[in-house]
Amino acid sequence: MISSLIKKIQDKKAKIAVVGLGRVGLPIAAVFADAGYPVIGSDIKNEVVEAISSGKSHLAEPELAQLIKDSVDKMLLKATTDTFNAVTEADVILICVQTPLTKGNEPNLASLKTTCKTVSKGLSKGKLVLIVSTVPPGTTKHLVARILATGSGLKCGKDFWLAYCPERINPGKAVREFIENNRIIGGFNEESTEIAVELFKSVVMGDIFSTDSQVAEVAKLAENTFRDVNIAFGNELALMCEQMNVDVMEVIKLANTHPRVKIHMPGSGVGGPCLPKDPYLLQHGIKAKGFRFRFIDLAREINDLMPEHTVELVVKALKEAKKSVKNSKIAVLGVAYKGEVGEVANSPAEKIVQRLIALGAKVVVYDPYCNESFGAKMAENVDEAVREADCIVVVTEHKIFEKLQLDRLKELMTKRPVIVDGRRIVKPKETKKQGFVYAGIGFGV
Ligand code: SAJ
């Protein structure tokens, strides 16, 4: 059986089902279809399925729209809301559904469980199931294997194969990174790993590293926990530098000249669908054994206080300009969770906007990539946002905000204008020379 599936993969005849067509699943479906595999994507959202069926992408990812259009035209990519049917037809099934947290920061695996139950009904001998969603350690080997085996009556690792294949794609570069990134493949057993490697090496150019599913799950969570901890280190360093009256950006730039030091950037907070979540998935996996990964709690606490700290800088800077937050007009530049993306998941901007509104400020937001304002007024462009504003707060490092024309801003804003730089993309000295009150993360007021 294994050789016939491997043969189908090598001949690009293996039918691939991708369940969950979000920012990870859709690029994966498009790349496999573009490589010549017949791909059927399934999603619970009608609008997603309709967009793809008409050759369109619901995600603004470079290259993706073209890949989808070409693959749909060539009848190599189809989309459906009928996951059962997609799975029944497929030889390989990739599961890319969301694995969010509950309010208590516990894993919410409801979508994964429901999806695995549906997949199990469409399973038959000789198929390969791949989990792409980020999951707590042990999920593939225990929870997923059990649901698939129970629902199909088949033996995992023998009648069908199962592996964990985590994604690292960076939103905004999803297609490129899916193809070029190194990749970890963690099989339920050796045979599962072997087939999964065969599949991925036919489309990806990065190196492929094989292991078992639990090691792969921990490695994926360790990657993002490392990033969260490293960013928290940068943020704590920034808070210290504000007290010491030194510029954290100079400190980090110089410290990073060490060949083996890479301190991440401090900022107005850590958002997105991954970093605020993955450390808790790792914590969940080990809590049962009574181990507490102490960096996780500390890093999450530090990163989660950065939006509030940004608001404190606004209050202090306005005071310096002899203004109060109450009734000040404040232009928030950027609501996306990071630069050059249009996603607001867990964005620091939400807490910043809502806190400023609670303090009585008149808040206007502008973000060229998002149409979310978290309850504030929304401007169509920078000029409209900053006109008559007392204060600008840069929350997201979109490239457009790196080219702010200070003299233009001065013309548009009220007297004693204030700039609070949550992403340290504005130059403090120039800003102050132009007569602004400047405050920045890791610079202070
Ligand atoms: N951030 C900082 N300082 C930094 C870097 C990031 O404050 O030095 C903030 C960002 O502003 C953002 C948050 O952290 O609010 C997360 O940004 P991110 O670029 O680290 O992470 P994501 O959420 O875009 O993560 C994605 C992930 N991809 C998937 O899980 C499919 C992750 O695995 C990747 O590691 C990450 O991209 C990446 O490496 O770019």
Side-chain angles (χ1 to χ4, degrees):
M1 263 194 323
I2 180 167
S3 49
S4 73
L5 181 51
I6 286 190
K7 181 91 178 57
K8 273 185 187 174
I9 288 171
Q10 287 166 344
D11 299 347
K12 302 247 168 78
K13 294 261 184 301
K15 286 196 183 70
I16 296 177
V18 179
V19 182
L21 298 170
R23 64 189 159 70
V24 172
L26 185 53
I28 291 179
V31 170
F32 274 111
D34 184 58
Y37 288 97
V39 176
I40 178 157
S42 81
D43 198 286
I44 50 173
K45 290 187 189 137
N46 260 315
E47 65 275 18
V48 167
V49 170
E50 277 156 20
I52 296 162
S53 303
S54 55
K56 292 195 179 63
S57 164
H58 67 95
L59 295 172
E61 279 286 350
E63 304 181 62
L64 186 56
Q66 194 58 51
L67 287 185
I68 291 170
K69 187 182 174 320
D70 297 347
S71 306
V72 169
D73 290 349
K74 286 186 233 158
M75 312 279 282
L76 276 170
L77 176 62
K78 287 190 295 186
T80 175
T81 52
D82 182 348
T83 300
F84 170 73
N85 186 43
V87 171
T88 309
E89 274 182 36
D91 302 297
V92 177
I93 299 107
L94 290 103
I95 297 177
C96 311
V97 297
Q98 57 158 359
T99 51
L101 293 176
T102 63
K103 287 241 175 313
N105 288 328
E106 291 296 319
N108 171 355
L109 302 182
S111 301
L112 181 68
K113 287 177 190 164
T114 314
T115 302
C116 287
K117 282 198 185 84
T118 308
V119 168
S120 72
K121 300 282 173 268
L123 263 191
S124 55
K125 286 195 173 184
K127 295 192 188 214
L128 169 68
V129 180
L130 300 174
I131 303 299
V132 180
S133 311
T134 305
V135 293
T139 303
T140 304
K141 189 162 71 170
H142 301 299
L143 178 75
V144 172
R146 190 180 64 243
I147 295 174
L148 294 178
T150 315
S152 64
L154 297 172
K155 223 169 143 12
C156 188
K158 190 169 165 301
D159 299 330
F160 69 90
W161 297 283
L162 173 63
Y164 176 66
C165 312
E167 250 321 308
R168 297 165 167 163
I169 50 178
N170 186 10
K173 302 191 192 96
V175 171
R176 239 356 58 216
E177 292 216 347
F178 177 74
I179 294 167
E180 293 167 5
N181 282 353
N182 295 334
R183 182 168 298 281
I184 301 171
I185 305 274
F188 175 82
N189 60 354
E190 296 275 317
E191 280 191 351
S192 302
T193 306
E194 188 190 338
I195 306 167
V197 168
E198 203 58 40
L199 177 76
F200 278 98
K201 77 183 194 191
S202 70
V203 289
V204 301
M205 283 145 45
D207 295 333
I208 296 179
F209 298 91
S210 308
T211 183
D212 71 58
S213 64
Q214 177 135 337
V215 170
E217 289 162 342
V218 176
K220 164 65 186 176
L221 295 171
E223 291 169 8
N224 282 354
T225 301
F226 169 77
R227 287 175 68 78
D228 198 47
V229 168
N230 191 327
I231 295 164
F233 179 84
N235 283 329
E236 187 77 336
L237 195 64
L239 297 176
M240 182 192 76
C241 286
E242 287 180 19
Q243 300 300 322
M244 295 174 86
N245 267 330
V246 297
D247 186 348
V248 76
M249 297 304 278
E250 285 178 49
V251 168
I252 291 174
K253 193 172 89 207
L254 294 174
N256 283 354
T257 59
H258 183 296
R260 287 172 298 288
V261 170
K262 171 119 180 47
I263 301 171
H264 283 24
M265 284 299 117
S268 48
V270 173
C274 308
L275 268 57
K277 171 193 80 161
D278 291 359
Y280 288 120
L281 295 184
L282 181 62
Q283 191 78 284
H284 176 81
I286 190 65
K287 212 156 58 178
K289 296 203 168 42
F291 182 88
R292 276 208 80 70
F293 196 108
R294 287 163 292 174
F295 277 112
I296 288 174
D297 297 327
L298 180 58
R300 292 275 77 238
E301 179 197 327
I302 292 169
N303 289 338
D304 278 351
L305 69 78
M306 295 315 285
E308 183 54 38
H309 182 67
T310 306
V311 172
E312 282 163 19
L313 289 177
V314 170
V315 174
K316 279 190 196 143
L318 281 168
K319 194 151 168 259
E320 180 78 11
K322 310 257 183 296
K323 299 175 180 177
S324 83
V325 186
K326 196 167 169 41
N327 298 324
S328 281
K329 181 185 172 188
I330 299 181
V332 170
L333 299 187
V335 291
Y337 78 89
K338 74 175 184 180
E340 305 307 303
V341 300
E343 192 165 343
V344 296
N346 303 309
S347 172
E350 181 165 12
K351 285 184 196 160
I352 291 169
V353 167
Q354 288 173 354
R355 184 83 186 102
L356 290 171
I357 291 173
L359 291 172
K362 289 175 280 181
V363 183
V364 182
V365 304
Y366 170 63
D367 188 315
Y369 292 85
C370 307
N371 56 11
E372 173 59 65
S373 68
F374 298 125
K377 209 165 141 312
M378 204 185 301
E380 292 300 311
N381 53 55
V382 172
D383 283 13
E384 187 191 332
V386 306
R387 186 165 287 111
E388 291 305 307
D390 298 288
C391 173
I392 289 174
V393 196
V394 178
V395 175
T396 311
E397 68 285 13
H398 291 319
K399 287 196 173 54
I400 179 180
F401 300 147
E402 290 173 9
K403 306 180 193 99
L404 291 172
Q405 309 279 336
L406 292 174
D407 45 358
R408 172 83 183 140
L409 297 182
K410 201 146 183 273
E411 260 170 50
L412 291 166
M413 293 174 75
T414 59
K415 295 241 165 308
R416 298 283 293 152
V418 172
I419 287 192
V420 176
D421 187 358
R423 292 294 176 187
R424 298 306 309 274
I425 56 175
V426 178
K427 294 190 175 35
K429 289 197 181 67
E430 263 168 61
T431 317
K432 286 157 66 160
K433 219 161 58 197
Q434 291 264 3
F436 286 81
V437 171
Y438 175 88
I441 299 282
F443 186 89
V445 182

